[in-house]
Every structure is written in structure tokens, then in C-alpha cells.
Amino acid sequence: MSDRDGWSGEQDQRGRRDDGYGRGSGQAEPEGAQRMRHVQRPGPQASRQPQPPQPRQPPRGPAQPPAGPAYVPPQQDGSYSGGSAGGSYDSGYNTGQVYGGGQPPSGPRGRGPGGPGGPARPAGAAPDWRRRIKIGSIVLVSGLLVTGIGTYFWADSNVRREVDLSKVIERPKEGDCTTYLIVGSDSREGMSAEDKKKLHTGSAEGKRTDSMMILAKCSSGNTMISLPRDSDVEIPSFVGSESGKKFAGTGKRTKLNAAYAQDGPELLVRTVEFNTGLRIDHYAEIGFAGFANIVDALGGVELNIEKAFKDEKSGADFKEGTQTLNGEQSLAYVRTRYAFAESDLQRTKNQQRFLSALASQAATPTTILNPFSLYPVLGAGLDTLIVDKDMGLYDMGSMFFAMKGISGGDGVSMNMPISGQRGGNLVWDKAKVQQLVQQIQKDEKVTVRGN
């Protein structure tokens, strides 16, 4: 460096040391701590001699000064300590020491061990993505788990468990399969006048069965059996669901839906068990409004309509081909009967096809594992969904998955075997019905086929 920079430590001709302040300077010599750093070239002998370590100087302020040669204060006579016989001194510049002692700063902005930032990641090191992904996955799974559990308890607390199967008397023996009696009622509960007009439901008071089917969930394969509401059956003896009074059977034969109209779900279960010999494990019923709302919550149901048909009473007006039905259209599809020559038999077939398609779309991981999809679907149907007192959400899930399996070809979909008619009522084929029931009770593959 040059002398003008104040870093020269050479002596003048009189042996005095040039401190970087000219003779003509009007400034007073700065005090020790304010003097500029001074570096003097070591003499040949001093460079060979080991130098004592320089003392650490405490920092003067909150921030560390930049690294540089250590400052050596002058003696009273103007000389510097640490010099050699030739008048030179070792500034410590070549020892690697910095102002205040210690290790040189490391890391960004001087952060290093012992600094304000603590241990820092080495410059250029890649982030630990495995750790980040692991933590993110744990947070995501925990959030979904908490939300799922919350949704489960919310839905379970809102299920209407209103049917008491313990009131059903003289029940058949239990079989190896789990059986459900699924009922679609024409209840207008919760519907406004505008809803009734839109859905073509009419304004009849009370409720009746609009569709009935038995779903047998078996290890040998699932079976869905539609029970036409015009089926010719006998109303047996029963205990009133409200009065608790026992009513003796009269042997009178009537349509199946009359049992529901007479004393509700409990008598309907009793009548089905008496006329088939098959025990019903669970009961599930949904009204018009809930049915349409579930379809809309799912965003519609895709269905292939094999032949175009139209019905003014149900509001149906369908073209041939694959199409997505909304809630209003779906309800019209499953209720239409007068547009078909087979009337109620064709309607039950359409109901099975639609329910299987509905279950196939509802019982998917995108719906069940996504609370934002599952919550609206459950909320849409809970208001009108009525089940027995022993039926939980797990049983309802099993029911939907069983229907989904049938739509995928894992099972049988059929009408109750019919042998003829009596006074406009459909008469069941007793021999086939008996064989069908035995196969379900023993969890055997169903070989019987209906109409």
C-alpha cells in the first residue's frame, strides 16, 4: 500500500514513525481507539520469529466490524510492542485473526457457530425434501382424518333411526347373508309447493311405498330382488307399531304396498318375512326429496336409456342413449310406469338399474374419502333417510357397496318370480321363491331368475 493510505509503518530519516498525519495537519492526533489501522511490513528477522497471540479486543458496538488486521496500541514513547530490534512489529495480519478474536465468520451475512443465526446450512446445500414431504404428508393425513371422523359423527348423529324391528313378531331364522329391505316412499315431507310441482309428485298427504326391493349381501354374490308393489300377499298377524296391540291375521290377500299404508315399516317387514320366509336384517327408506337431492349433490347420474319414452304423470321425457340425469329427471325415471306395456315390472327393472348406477357413482374413493364431496351427499339425503335402530353408517356403506357390486356384474339383479295374476295383483311363483330364499339363507350362488 502507499503512504497516503495511512498504512505505511516506515520511519523517516530522524527515526520517527510516520503515523499517517502530515506535519502541516491541523488535526490533533486521534485517540487510541479511533486511530486507523496500521500495518508495518515485518523485517527479515521478525518474520522468522514466532509471535505471541494477540489479545482479543471486545467489540465496541452491537455489530462486528469487518475482518482485518488486529490493532496494536502504541506505547507511551510512540513505539509499538511486538516489534523486532529493527523497529518492525507483527500486526497479526498473517495469523488469520480478526478484530475481537475468535473464528472468522461463516455462512451468509457472517452468520456462523455462536452467531445470532445459530448453526447455518452450508452454502449450496440442497433442502431436505424427504423431511418436508414427510411432514406435509403427516399434516395432510391428520387433517383428513380429523375431518373424516368429524363428518362420521355428524352424519351418524343425524340419521333417523325410527324403525324398531324388535316389534316384528314370529320372525324367520337368521341366514348366512345380510339382507336389507330398501324402500322408496312417496313422502312429500319437507317439500314446498314449488318442489311438488317441479318433481310431479302431487300433494297427497301421508306416504306410501313407491318401490320396494330386497338386497342380499352374500359372500357367494350379491342379489337384488325387486318386489312389485302390486304383488299379491297375505297380511299376517302383527303387533301395532304405535299401540302395541296384537292384531290377528284374517287371511285376507291384498297388494304389498297396503301393508305399509296400514301400519308403516314394521308391518311391511313382517309381511315380507311372512310371505317369503326370508329374515330382513336392516331397513332403509328414502323419500322423494332426499332421492332427488342426493342425485344433484353427486352432480347427476350417468345412465344409458335403451329406448326413448315419455310419461306426463311422472314428467319423464327421455331420448335414447347415454345421458346424465339430474335429480328431477332421475325421480321421473324411477317412477314411470304407465309408459310401459309391462307397467310395474318394467318400472322395477328401471329402479334397479338406476340405484345400481347411483351406488356405483356414490361409492367411489373420490366421494367417500373426500369430506368436501361426502359431506354434501350425506347432508342431501339425511333429512328423508329413515333406517332401523340397529343400522349404522357402516351398514349403510355396505349396502351401497353391495349395490355397486351388482352394477359391476358381481351379482344378480331380478324381479320376484311371477306365475300370473289374481284380480290385477301379481302372484309370486311359490316354488321359485322358496328355492331363491333357500339359496340366500345358505349363502349359495343364486341360480333362480325372475321376470
Side-chain angles (χ1 to χ4, degrees), residues 20 37 96 107 111 146 150 173 199 213 272 341 423:
R37 294 186 179 88
R111 295 177 182 174
V146 171
K173 65 178 181 179
L199 299 176
M213 58 187 69
V272 170

Side-chain angles (χ1 to χ4, degrees), residues 41-104:
R41 298 185 182 92
Q45 293 180 357
S47 62
R48 298 187 185 95
Q49 296 177 359
Q51 302 299 323
Q54 298 298 323
R56 296 185 180 181
Q57 300 295 332
R60 293 190 179 87
Q64 292 280 2
Y71 169 73
V72 182
Q75 304 295 324
Q76 294 181 357
D77 59 357
S79 62
Y80 287 80
S81 63
S84 63
S88 62
Y89 78 100
D90 189 346
S91 65
Y93 182 80
N94 295 327
T95 65
Q97 296 183 0
V98 297
Y99 185 92
Q103 297 296 328

Side-chain angles (χ1 to χ4, degrees), residues 175 177 179 214-216 218 220-227 275-279 352 412-418 428-451:
C177 300
T179 56
I214 295 174
L215 173 65
C218 309
S220 59
N222 303 321
T223 304
M224 183 182 290
I225 310 162
S226 287
L227 308 175
N275 286 269
T276 63
L278 183 67
R279 185 185 181 96
Q352 287 182 350
V412 177
S413 179
M414 58 185 288
N415 275 319
M416 185 66 81
I418 304 297
W428 294 349
D429 188 323
K430 292 184 178 180
K432 287 186 177 181
V433 170
Q434 186 178 10
Q435 182 183 2
L436 174 63
V437 170
Q438 288 178 350
Q439 290 176 341
I440 293 175
Q441 287 177 332
K442 297 179 180 179
D443 197 358
E444 298 176 350
K445 185 176 181 179
V446 173
T447 58
V448 178
R449 293 296 180 267
N451 300 74

Side-chain angles (χ1 to χ4, degrees), residues 104-313:
S106 62
R109 298 186 182 180
R111 295 177 182 174
R121 174 172 56 86
D128 190 351
W129 288 108
R130 289 186 178 181
R131 183 172 180 270
R132 294 185 181 184
I133 292 174
K134 182 179 179 180
I135 294 175
S137 299
I138 293 174
V139 172
L140 177 61
V141 172
S142 299
L144 291 175
L145 185 61
V146 171
T147 304
I149 293 175
T151 301
Y152 177 90
F153 282 105
W154 167 81
D156 188 71
S157 64
N158 283 276
V159 172
R160 297 173 59 181
R161 296 182 175 89
E162 300 176 2
V163 180
D164 189 357
L165 296 183
S166 66
K167 296 180 179 179
V168 180
I169 62 173
E170 301 176 13
R171 309 196 67 185
K173 65 178 181 179
E174 293 186 0
D176 294 332
C177 300
T178 301
T179 56
Y180 301 83
L181 180 59
I182 303 171
V183 175
S185 75
D186 63 359
S187 171
R188 282 83 173 169
E189 183 181 358
M191 296 176 64
S192 64
E194 183 179 352
D195 292 334
K196 294 175 184 178
K197 182 179 179 180
K198 177 182 177 181
L199 299 176
H200 301 272
T201 63
S203 300
E205 296 297 330
K207 59 181 180 179
R208 289 159 294 277
T209 54
D210 201 64
S211 62
M212 293 165 284
M213 58 187 69
I214 295 174
L215 173 65
K217 183 178 180 297
C218 309
S219 60
S220 59
N222 303 321
T223 304
M224 183 182 290
I225 310 162
S226 287
L227 308 175
R229 67 179 189 174
D230 294 340
S231 296
D232 187 78
V233 296
E234 179 184 342
I235 304 294
S237 58
F238 67 95
V239 174
S241 58
E242 297 295 335
S243 64
K245 179 181 177 181
K246 185 172 182 178
F247 296 88
T250 62
K252 179 182 177 181
R253 304 193 71 85
T254 186
K255 293 181 180 181
L256 180 59
N257 64 346
Y260 184 95
Q262 184 174 343
D263 197 54
E266 287 85 0
L267 180 55
L268 178 61
V269 172
R270 166 72 173 137
T271 302
V272 170
E273 290 185 343
F274 178 82
N275 286 269
T276 63
L278 183 67
R279 185 185 181 96
I280 300 299
D281 297 311
H282 293 294
Y283 177 93
E285 173 190 327
I286 190 166
F288 283 160
F291 179 83
N293 290 340
I294 288 177
V295 174
D296 287 334
L298 286 171
V301 174
E302 187 177 87
L303 194 69
N304 180 31
I305 298 178
E306 298 177 351
K307 186 178 180 180
F309 64 91
K310 186 175 182 178
D311 180 31
E312 293 183 0
K313 291 188 176 182

